[in-house]
Amino acid sequence: MAHLKVFTLPVLISMVIFSSINAEARQFVVGGKENSWEVPSCPSQLNQWAQSNRFQVGDILIFKYDKNADSVLEATKEDYAGCNTAKPLKEYKDGDTKLKLERSGPYYFISGAEGHCQKGQKLEVVVMSEKHSPKGAPSAPTEVPAPAPRAGNGAAGLRDGFWTVLVGLGSLTVGLLMA
């Protein structure tokens, strides 16, 4: 029985290392499709999209919009509710804004274009706490596919896999030797 405990510990350590190597942020195009950061046909459309997804710390929101006509403002809860664009927490104007969700809790975004927020161009995203994030949850259908690997990046995946296997085998060996 004691050798089983000694064997189990290295295997568990290997599993933790393996799962942390494979943890990746997901990317979400706001609204689920290109150029969705615009006045929606239904005022609650953007928030319905957000509620249909499960956002985790590290995920990335991608806002696609016409940079000459609009912007994205990160707002307080109060400014979000009142569509107040005067004092945003942050302002983005590049037309292809990528925001990393760095903490759990709510984020509030409104359009910087006059009158757009009042017509429903606003978004509340709730990021789950890390301890409540579902492990292995199915990916949302509106996720952006990962970009094609650049030349030379294939080796990084092989290298990480190699080290994962090596650590696992080393742990297994140590566990067997200690048994």
Side-chain angles (χ1 to χ4, degrees):
M1 185 69 146
H3 74 281
L4 183 61
K5 289 181 183 177
V6 173
F7 176 74
T8 305
L9 182 60
V11 171
L12 288 175
I13 291 171
S14 298
M15 290 172 57
V16 168
I17 291 171
F18 179 73
S19 66
S20 68
I21 289 173
N22 288 325
E24 292 184 24
R26 298 174 302 161
Q27 296 185 356
F28 295 87
V29 172
V30 170
K33 61 184 184 213
E34 299 289 317
N35 297 317
S36 289
W37 187 245
E38 61 185 10
V39 174
S41 56
C42 169
S44 61
Q45 183 177 342
L46 290 169
N47 283 329
Q48 286 174 347
W49 168 82
Q51 291 168 1
S52 72
N53 290 289
R54 297 292 175 253
F55 301 100
Q56 299 176 32
V57 173
D59 286 349
I60 298 169
L61 294 179
I62 302 172
F63 292 82
K64 301 258 188 189
Y65 53 94
D66 179 354
K67 68 180 181 180
N68 297 316
D70 207 345
S71 63
V72 177
L73 307 179
E74 187 172 345
T76 63
K77 182 177 182 177
E78 294 76 21
D79 287 345
Y80 169 85
C83 290
N84 182 2
T85 60
K87 297 178 189 173
L89 298 173
K90 295 179 184 169
E91 182 174 15
Y92 306 93
K93 300 179 179 183
D94 64 357
D96 187 22
T97 302
K98 294 177 176 73
L99 297 172
K100 185 174 184 179
L101 302 171
E102 297 180 349
R103 59 169 174 78
S104 61
Y107 285 79
Y108 301 97
F109 302 99
I110 60 177
S111 170
E114 189 171 335
H116 285 206
C117 178
Q118 290 84 348
K119 295 176 184 173
Q121 190 179 347
K122 60 188 200 173
L123 175 69
E124 177 182 358
V125 170
V126 178
V127 178
M128 297 187 312
S129 69
E130 292 185 52
K131 66 180 177 180
H132 292 105
S133 295
K135 301 295 181 208
S139 299
T142 54
E143 269 186 58
V144 175
R150 288 180 258 149
N153 277 352
L158 290 175
R159 183 187 67 232
D160 291 344
F162 169 78
W163 285 111
T164 301
V165 170
L166 187 63
V167 168
L169 289 175
S171 296
L172 180 61
T173 303
V174 169
L176 291 174
L177 291 174
M178 296 177 82

Coordinates of all heavy atoms in Angstrom, one line a residue, residues 3-69:
H3 N 3.8 1.6 -1.3 CA 4.4 1.8 -2.6 C 3.4 2.5 -3.6 O 3.8 3.2 -4.5 CB 5.0 0.5 -3.2 CG 4.0 -0.4 -3.7 ND1 3.3 -1.2 -2.8 CD2 3.6 -0.7 -4.9 CE1 2.4 -2.0 -3.5 NE2 2.6 -1.7 -4.8
L4 N 2.1 2.2 -3.4 CA 1.1 2.8 -4.2 C 1.1 4.3 -4.0 O 1.0 5.1 -5.0 CB -0.2 2.2 -3.9 CG -1.4 2.7 -4.8 CD1 -1.1 2.4 -6.3 CD2 -2.7 2.1 -4.3
K5 N 1.2 4.8 -2.8 CA 1.3 6.2 -2.5 C 2.5 6.9 -3.2 O 2.4 8.0 -3.7 CB 1.2 6.5 -1.0 CG -0.1 6.2 -0.4 CD 0.0 6.5 1.1 CE -1.4 6.1 1.8 NZ -1.3 6.3 3.2
V6 N 3.6 6.2 -3.0 CA 4.9 6.7 -3.6 C 4.8 6.8 -5.1 O 5.2 7.7 -5.8 CB 6.1 5.9 -3.2 CG1 7.3 6.3 -3.9 CG2 6.3 5.9 -1.7
F7 N 4.1 5.9 -5.7 CA 3.9 5.8 -7.2 C 2.9 6.9 -7.6 O 3.1 7.5 -8.7 CB 3.5 4.4 -7.6 CG 3.1 4.3 -9.1 CD1 4.1 4.2 -10.0 CD2 1.8 4.3 -9.5 CE1 3.8 4.1 -11.3 CE2 1.5 4.1 -10.8 CZ 2.5 4.1 -11.8
T8 N 1.9 7.1 -6.9 CA 0.8 8.0 -7.3 C 1.3 9.5 -7.3 O 0.9 10.2 -8.2 CB -0.4 7.9 -6.3 OG1 -0.8 6.5 -6.3 CG2 -1.5 8.7 -6.7
L9 N 2.1 9.9 -6.3 CA 2.6 11.3 -6.2 C 3.3 11.7 -7.5 O 2.9 12.7 -8.1 CB 3.5 11.5 -5.0 CG 3.9 12.9 -4.8 CD1 2.7 13.8 -4.6 CD2 4.8 13.0 -3.6
P10 N 4.3 11.0 -8.0 CA 4.9 11.4 -9.3 C 4.0 11.5 -10.5 O 4.1 12.4 -11.3 CB 6.0 10.4 -9.5 CG 6.3 9.8 -8.2 CD 5.0 9.8 -7.4
V11 N 3.0 10.6 -10.5 CA 2.1 10.6 -11.6 C 1.2 11.8 -11.5 O 0.9 12.5 -12.5 CB 1.2 9.3 -11.6 CG1 0.1 9.4 -12.6 CG2 2.1 8.1 -11.9
L12 N 0.8 12.2 -10.3 CA -0.1 13.4 -10.1 C 0.7 14.7 -10.5 O 0.2 15.6 -11.1 CB -0.6 13.5 -8.7 CG -1.7 12.5 -8.3 CD1 -2.0 12.6 -6.9 CD2 -2.9 12.7 -9.2
I13 N 2.0 14.7 -10.1 CA 2.8 15.8 -10.4 C 3.0 16.0 -11.9 O 2.8 17.1 -12.5 CB 4.2 15.7 -9.8 CG1 4.1 15.9 -8.3 CG2 5.2 16.7 -10.3 CD1 5.3 15.6 -7.5
S14 N 3.1 14.9 -12.6 CA 3.2 14.9 -14.1 C 1.9 15.4 -14.7 O 2.0 16.2 -15.7 CB 3.5 13.5 -14.6 OG 4.8 13.0 -14.2
M15 N 0.8 15.0 -14.2 CA -0.5 15.4 -14.7 C -0.6 16.9 -14.6 O -1.1 17.6 -15.5 CB -1.6 14.6 -14.1 CG -1.6 13.2 -14.5 SD -2.8 12.2 -13.6 CE -4.3 13.0 -13.9
V16 N -0.2 17.5 -13.4 CA -0.3 18.9 -13.2 C 0.5 19.7 -14.2 O 0.1 20.6 -14.8 CB 0.0 19.2 -11.7 CG1 0.2 20.7 -11.5 CG2 -1.0 18.7 -10.8
I17 N 1.8 19.2 -14.3 CA 2.7 19.8 -15.3 C 2.1 19.8 -16.7 O 2.1 20.8 -17.4 CB 4.1 19.2 -15.2 CG1 4.8 19.5 -13.9 CG2 4.9 19.7 -16.4 CD1 6.0 18.7 -13.6
F18 N 1.6 18.6 -17.1 CA 1.0 18.5 -18.4 C -0.2 19.4 -18.6 O -0.3 20.1 -19.7 CB 0.6 17.0 -18.6 CG 0.0 16.8 -20.0 CD1 0.8 16.8 -21.1 CD2 -1.4 16.6 -20.1 CE1 0.2 16.6 -22.4 CE2 -1.9 16.4 -21.4 CZ -1.1 16.4 -22.5
S19 N -1.1 19.5 -17.7 CA -2.2 20.3 -17.8 C -1.9 21.8 -17.9 O -2.5 22.6 -18.6 CB -3.3 20.0 -16.8 OG -2.8 20.4 -15.5
S20 N -0.9 22.2 -17.1 CA -0.5 23.6 -17.2 C 0.2 24.0 -18.5 O 0.1 25.1 -19.0 CB 0.4 24.0 -16.0 OG 1.7 23.3 -16.1
I21 N 0.9 23.1 -19.1 CA 1.5 23.3 -20.4 C 0.5 23.6 -21.5 O 0.6 24.4 -22.4 CB 2.5 22.2 -20.8 CG1 3.7 22.2 -19.9 CG2 2.9 22.3 -22.2 CD1 4.6 21.1 -20.0
N22 N -0.6 22.8 -21.4 CA -1.6 22.9 -22.5 C -2.7 24.0 -22.2 O -3.6 24.1 -23.1 CB -2.3 21.5 -22.6 CG -1.4 20.5 -23.2 OD1 -0.6 20.9 -24.1 ND2 -1.5 19.3 -22.8
A23 N -2.6 24.7 -21.1 CA -3.6 25.8 -20.9 C -3.4 26.9 -21.8 O -2.2 27.4 -21.9 CB -3.5 26.2 -19.4
E24 N -4.4 27.3 -22.6 CA -4.2 28.4 -23.6 C -5.4 29.3 -23.5 O -6.5 28.9 -23.2 CB -4.2 27.8 -25.0 CG -2.9 27.0 -25.3 CD -2.9 26.5 -26.7 OE1 -3.5 27.2 -27.6 OE2 -2.2 25.6 -27.0
A25 N -5.1 30.6 -23.7 CA -6.2 31.5 -23.8 C -7.0 31.3 -25.0 O -6.5 30.9 -26.1 CB -5.6 32.9 -23.8
R26 N -8.3 31.6 -24.9 CA -9.2 31.6 -26.1 C -9.4 33.0 -26.6 O -9.3 33.9 -25.8 CB -10.5 30.9 -25.7 CG -10.3 29.5 -25.3 CD -11.6 28.9 -24.8 NE -12.1 29.7 -23.7 CZ -13.4 29.6 -23.2 NH1 -14.2 28.8 -23.8 NH2 -13.8 30.3 -22.2
Q27 N -9.6 33.1 -27.9 CA -9.9 34.4 -28.5 C -11.4 34.4 -29.0 O -11.8 33.5 -29.6 CB -9.0 34.7 -29.6 CG -7.5 34.8 -29.2 CD -6.6 35.2 -30.4 OE1 -7.0 35.3 -31.5 NE2 -5.3 35.3 -30.1
F28 N -12.1 35.5 -28.6 CA -13.5 35.7 -29.0 C -13.6 37.0 -29.8 O -13.3 38.1 -29.3 CB -14.4 35.8 -27.8 CG -14.4 34.6 -26.9 CD1 -13.5 34.3 -25.9 CD2 -15.4 33.6 -27.1 CE1 -13.5 33.2 -25.1 CE2 -15.5 32.5 -26.3 CZ -14.5 32.3 -25.3
V29 N -14.2 36.9 -31.0 CA -14.6 38.1 -31.7 C -15.9 38.5 -31.1 O -16.9 37.8 -31.1 CB -14.7 37.8 -33.3 CG1 -15.3 39.0 -34.0 CG2 -13.4 37.4 -33.9
V30 N -15.9 39.7 -30.7 CA -17.1 40.3 -30.0 C -18.3 40.2 -30.9 O -18.2 40.6 -32.1 CB -16.9 41.7 -29.5 CG1 -18.2 42.4 -29.0 CG2 -15.8 41.7 -28.4
G31 N -19.4 39.7 -30.4 CA -20.6 39.5 -31.2 C -20.6 38.2 -32.0 O -21.6 37.9 -32.6
G32 N -19.5 37.5 -32.1 CA -19.4 36.2 -32.8 C -19.0 36.3 -34.3 O -18.9 35.3 -34.9
K33 N -18.9 37.5 -34.8 CA -18.5 37.6 -36.2 C -17.8 38.9 -36.5 O -17.9 39.8 -35.6 CB -19.7 37.4 -37.1 CG -20.8 38.5 -36.9 CD -22.0 38.3 -37.8 CE -22.9 39.4 -37.5 NZ -24.3 39.3 -37.6
E34 N -17.1 39.0 -37.6 CA -16.4 40.2 -37.9 C -17.3 41.4 -37.9 O -18.5 41.3 -38.3 CB -15.8 40.1 -39.3 CG -14.8 38.9 -39.5 CD -13.5 39.2 -38.7 OE1 -12.9 40.3 -38.8 OE2 -13.0 38.3 -38.1
N35 N -16.8 42.6 -37.5 CA -17.5 43.8 -37.5 C -18.8 43.8 -36.8 O -19.8 44.5 -37.1 CB -17.7 44.3 -39.0 CG -16.4 44.6 -39.7 OD1 -15.5 45.2 -39.1 ND2 -16.3 44.1 -40.9
S36 N -18.9 43.1 -35.7 CA -20.1 43.0 -34.8 C -20.1 44.2 -33.9 O -21.1 44.4 -33.2 CB -20.2 41.7 -34.1 OG -20.5 40.7 -35.0
W37 N -19.0 44.9 -33.7 CA -19.0 46.1 -32.8 C -19.6 47.2 -33.6 O -18.9 48.1 -34.1 CB -17.6 46.4 -32.3 CG -17.6 47.5 -31.2 CD1 -17.0 48.7 -31.3 CD2 -18.2 47.4 -30.0 NE1 -17.2 49.4 -30.2 CE2 -18.0 48.7 -29.3 CE3 -18.9 46.4 -29.3 CZ2 -18.4 48.9 -28.0 CZ3 -19.4 46.7 -28.0 CH2 -19.1 48.0 -27.4
E38 N -20.9 47.2 -33.7 CA -21.7 48.3 -34.3 C -23.1 48.3 -33.7 O -23.4 47.4 -32.8 CB -21.8 47.9 -35.8 CG -22.5 46.6 -36.1 CD -22.5 46.3 -37.6 OE1 -21.9 46.9 -38.4 OE2 -23.2 45.3 -38.0
V39 N -23.9 49.2 -34.0 CA -25.3 49.3 -33.4 C -26.0 48.0 -33.8 O -26.1 47.7 -35.0 CB -26.0 50.5 -33.9 CG1 -27.5 50.5 -33.4 CG2 -25.3 51.8 -33.5
P40 N -26.4 47.2 -32.8 CA -27.0 45.9 -33.2 C -28.5 46.1 -33.6 O -29.1 47.1 -33.3 CB -27.0 45.2 -31.8 CG -26.9 46.2 -30.8 CD -26.2 47.4 -31.4
S41 N -29.0 45.1 -34.3 CA -30.4 45.1 -34.7 C -31.4 45.0 -33.5 O -32.5 45.5 -33.6 CB -30.7 44.0 -35.7 OG -30.4 42.8 -35.2
C42 N -30.9 44.4 -32.5 CA -31.7 44.2 -31.2 C -30.8 44.8 -30.1 O -29.6 44.4 -30.0 CB -32.0 42.8 -31.0 SG -32.7 42.4 -29.4
P43 N -31.3 45.7 -29.3 CA -30.5 46.4 -28.3 C -29.7 45.4 -27.3 O -28.7 45.7 -26.8 CB -31.5 47.2 -27.5 CG -32.6 47.5 -28.4 CD -32.7 46.3 -29.3
S44 N -30.3 44.2 -27.1 CA -29.6 43.3 -26.2 C -28.7 42.2 -26.9 O -28.2 41.3 -26.2 CB -30.7 42.6 -25.3 OG -31.5 41.8 -26.1
Q45 N -28.6 42.4 -28.2 CA -27.9 41.4 -29.0 C -26.4 41.1 -28.5 O -26.0 39.9 -28.3 CB -27.9 41.8 -30.4 CG -27.2 40.8 -31.4 CD -27.3 41.3 -32.8 OE1 -28.1 42.2 -33.1 NE2 -26.5 40.8 -33.7
L46 N -25.7 42.1 -28.2 CA -24.3 41.9 -27.8 C -24.2 41.2 -26.4 O -23.4 40.4 -26.2 CB -23.5 43.2 -27.8 CG -23.2 43.8 -29.2 CD1 -22.7 45.3 -29.1 CD2 -22.2 42.9 -29.9
N47 N -25.1 41.6 -25.5 CA -25.0 41.0 -24.2 C -25.6 39.6 -24.2 O -25.1 38.7 -23.5 CB -25.8 41.9 -23.2 CG -25.0 43.0 -22.7 OD1 -23.7 43.0 -22.7 ND2 -25.6 44.1 -22.4
Q48 N -26.5 39.3 -25.1 CA -26.9 37.9 -25.3 C -25.8 37.0 -25.8 O -25.6 35.9 -25.3 CB -28.1 37.8 -26.3 CG -29.4 38.3 -25.7 CD -30.5 38.4 -26.7 OE1 -30.3 38.3 -28.0 NE2 -31.7 38.6 -26.3
W49 N -25.0 37.6 -26.7 CA -23.8 36.8 -27.2 C -22.9 36.6 -26.0 O -22.4 35.5 -25.8 CB -23.1 37.6 -28.3 CG -21.7 37.1 -28.6 CD1 -21.5 36.0 -29.4 CD2 -20.5 37.5 -28.0 NE1 -20.1 35.7 -29.3 CE2 -19.5 36.6 -28.5 CE3 -20.1 38.5 -27.1 CZ2 -18.1 36.8 -28.2 CZ3 -18.8 38.6 -26.8 CH2 -17.8 37.8 -27.3
A50 N -22.6 37.6 -25.2 CA -21.7 37.5 -24.0 C -22.2 36.5 -23.0 O -21.4 35.7 -22.5 CB -21.5 38.8 -23.4
Q51 N -23.5 36.5 -22.8 CA -24.1 35.5 -21.8 C -24.0 34.1 -22.3 O -24.1 33.1 -21.5 CB -25.5 35.9 -21.5 CG -25.5 37.2 -20.7 CD -26.9 37.8 -20.6 OE1 -27.9 37.3 -21.1 NE2 -27.0 39.0 -19.9
S52 N -23.9 33.9 -23.6 CA -23.8 32.5 -24.2 C -22.4 32.0 -24.1 O -22.2 30.8 -24.5 CB -24.4 32.5 -25.6 OG -23.4 33.1 -26.5
N53 N -21.5 32.7 -23.7 CA -20.1 32.3 -23.6 C -19.6 32.3 -22.1 O -20.2 32.9 -21.3 CB -19.2 33.2 -24.4 CG -19.4 33.1 -25.9 OD1 -19.0 32.1 -26.5 ND2 -20.0 34.1 -26.5
R54 N -18.6 31.5 -21.9 CA -17.9 31.4 -20.6 C -16.5 32.0 -20.7 O -15.7 31.3 -21.3 CB -17.9 30.0 -20.0 CG -19.3 29.4 -19.8 CD -20.0 30.1 -18.6 NE -21.3 29.7 -18.5 CZ -22.4 30.4 -18.8 NH1 -22.3 31.5 -19.4 NH2 -23.6 29.9 -18.6
F55 N -16.3 33.2 -20.2 CA -15.0 33.8 -20.3 C -14.1 33.5 -19.1 O -14.6 33.5 -18.0 CB -15.2 35.3 -20.4 CG -16.0 35.7 -21.6 CD1 -17.3 36.0 -21.5 CD2 -15.4 35.7 -22.9 CE1 -18.1 36.4 -22.6 CE2 -16.2 36.1 -24.0 CZ -17.5 36.4 -23.8
Q56 N -12.9 33.2 -19.3 CA -11.9 32.9 -18.3 C -10.8 33.9 -18.3 O -10.5 34.6 -19.3 CB -11.4 31.5 -18.5 CG -12.5 30.4 -18.5 CD -11.9 29.1 -18.8 OE1 -10.8 28.8 -18.5 NE2 -12.8 28.2 -19.4
V57 N -10.1 34.0 -17.1 CA -9.0 34.9 -17.0 C -7.9 34.5 -18.1 O -7.7 33.3 -18.3 CB -8.3 34.8 -15.6 CG1 -7.0 35.6 -15.6 CG2 -9.3 35.3 -14.6
G58 N -7.4 35.4 -18.8 CA -6.5 35.1 -19.9 C -7.1 35.1 -21.3 O -6.4 35.2 -22.3
D59 N -8.4 35.0 -21.4 CA -9.1 35.0 -22.7 C -8.9 36.4 -23.3 O -8.7 37.4 -22.6 CB -10.6 34.7 -22.6 CG -10.8 33.2 -22.3 OD1 -9.9 32.4 -22.5 OD2 -12.0 32.8 -22.0
I60 N -9.1 36.5 -24.6 CA -8.9 37.7 -25.3 C -10.2 38.1 -26.1 O -10.7 37.2 -26.8 CB -7.7 37.6 -26.3 CG1 -6.5 37.4 -25.5 CG2 -7.6 38.8 -27.2 CD1 -5.3 37.0 -26.3
L61 N -10.7 39.3 -25.9 CA -11.8 39.8 -26.7 C -11.2 40.6 -27.9 O -10.3 41.4 -27.7 CB -12.7 40.8 -25.9 CG -13.4 40.2 -24.7 CD1 -14.2 41.4 -24.0 CD2 -14.4 39.1 -25.1
I62 N -11.8 40.4 -29.1 CA -11.4 41.1 -30.3 C -12.6 41.9 -30.8 O -13.6 41.4 -31.1 CB -10.9 40.1 -31.4 CG1 -9.8 39.2 -30.8 CG2 -10.5 40.8 -32.6 CD1 -9.4 38.1 -31.8
F63 N -12.4 43.2 -30.8 CA -13.4 44.1 -31.3 C -12.9 44.5 -32.7 O -11.9 45.1 -32.9 CB -13.4 45.4 -30.4 CG -14.0 45.2 -29.0 CD1 -13.2 44.7 -28.0 CD2 -15.3 45.5 -28.7 CE1 -13.6 44.5 -26.7 CE2 -15.8 45.3 -27.4 CZ -15.0 44.8 -26.4
K64 N -13.8 44.3 -33.7 CA -13.5 44.7 -35.0 C -14.6 45.8 -35.4 O -15.8 45.6 -35.3 CB -13.7 43.5 -36.0 CG -12.8 42.3 -35.7 CD -11.6 42.4 -36.6 CE -10.8 41.1 -36.5 NZ -9.6 41.2 -37.2
Y65 N -14.0 46.9 -35.9 CA -14.9 48.1 -36.2 C -14.2 49.0 -37.1 O -13.0 49.0 -37.3 CB -15.4 48.7 -34.9 CG -14.2 49.2 -34.0 CD1 -13.7 50.4 -34.0 CD2 -13.7 48.2 -33.1 CE1 -12.6 50.8 -33.2 CE2 -12.6 48.6 -32.3 CZ -12.1 49.9 -32.4 OH -11.0 50.2 -31.6
D66 N -15.0 50.0 -37.6 CA -14.4 51.0 -38.5 C -13.7 52.1 -37.6 O -14.4 52.8 -36.9 CB -15.5 51.7 -39.3 CG -15.0 52.8 -40.2 OD1 -13.8 53.2 -40.1 OD2 -15.9 53.3 -41.0
K67 N -12.4 52.1 -37.6 CA -11.7 53.1 -36.7 C -12.0 54.5 -37.0 O -11.7 55.4 -36.2 CB -10.2 52.8 -36.7 CG -9.5 53.1 -38.0 CD -8.0 52.8 -38.0 CE -7.3 53.2 -39.2 NZ -5.9 52.9 -39.2
N68 N -12.5 54.9 -38.2 CA -12.8 56.2 -38.5 C -14.2 56.7 -38.0 O -14.5 57.9 -38.0 CB -12.7 56.5 -40.0 CG -11.3 56.2 -40.5 OD1 -10.3 56.6 -39.9 ND2 -11.2 55.5 -41.6
A69 N -15.0 55.7 -37.6 CA -16.3 56.0 -37.2 C -16.7 55.6 -35.8 O -17.7 56.0 -35.2 CB -17.3 55.3 -38.2

